Amino acid sequence: MKYISVVILIALMAWTWSLATAQPAFSLEQSKRVEAGVEKDIRDFIMRRYPDTTDLYCQEMYTEPVVAGTEMLAHFKCRAQGSLGTDETVTQTFQGEIRLRSTDGFETWNEVGGNIRAPEVVYNNGIQVKAHELDVPDAPAPGTPVEPTHK
């Protein structure tokens, strides 16, 4: 019984070593280039849809391989700040994922799916509006007044 435990331990150690030294599906340079491109696409999308946005930054951005060399999923969480037409400003969170596909090792790629949600809007006067996790509406424009559903 003692020898079986040692054999299992050695097999598990070999397996974890192979995981630690395995070649990644995408190089770090590929991931960084894709993340920068996706962030630019998200920024362009939000600025086109909400032109009153004054400040936009992505606080989370990471990619994960779906099919090695041809498909990856880019996850993001960005915050945008815009004006309501008065002195009041609003901060809105956008989060989601975009599925990307490439035929040339991610020198170029196409967006083939994904979604963007706006689960939170925070007014600078302290009002915070959160969408229910299962029923997330389309994101309102930063200049559109939103009535809180709960007080």
Side-chain angles (χ1 to χ4, degrees):
M1 192 66 172
K2 187 185 328 181
Y3 295 113
I4 292 174
S5 299
V6 171
V7 169
I8 291 173
L9 177 67
I10 291 173
L12 289 174
M13 287 175 59
W15 177 68
T16 56
W17 182 256
S18 69
L19 287 177
T21 59
Q23 189 73 347
F26 295 100
S27 70
L28 183 60
E29 293 80 22
Q30 282 177 314
S31 292
K32 290 295 179 189
R33 191 177 73 252
V34 169
E35 287 171 11
V38 168
E39 184 173 351
K40 181 185 178 308
D41 291 346
I42 292 167
R43 182 177 304 276
D44 292 345
F45 169 79
I46 291 172
M47 295 303 281
R48 270 193 321 270
R49 191 153 181 196
Y50 309 114
D52 292 335
T53 301
T54 56
D55 188 22
L56 174 69
Y57 62 97
C58 292
Q59 58 199 37
E60 290 179 24
M61 174 72 68
Y62 64 95
T63 56
E64 66 175 298
V66 177
V67 177
T70 60
E71 197 168 311
M72 77 168 49
L73 202 56
H75 300 268
F76 63 90
K77 183 175 184 180
C78 301
R79 287 190 180 254
Q81 190 168 15
S83 166
L84 291 177
T86 62
D87 290 340
E88 188 175 10
T89 58
V90 62
T91 303
Q92 187 164 359
T93 302
F94 296 91
Q95 68 184 37
E97 60 276 335
I98 299 174
R99 185 175 294 270
L100 308 169
R101 190 170 292 144
S102 176
T103 57
D104 58 3
F106 278 90
E107 293 300 318
T108 60
W109 60 85
N110 293 319
E111 295 175 5
V112 294
N115 60 37
I116 298 177
R117 298 174 301 282
E120 178 182 49
V121 177
V122 178
Y123 292 92
N124 287 354
N125 66 4
I127 297 174
Q128 183 175 11
V129 180
K130 287 189 173 187
H132 188 273
E133 288 183 0
L134 300 176
D135 184 25
V136 180
D138 288 337
T144 304
V146 176
E147 295 296 324
T149 57
H150 303 289
K151 291 203 177 203

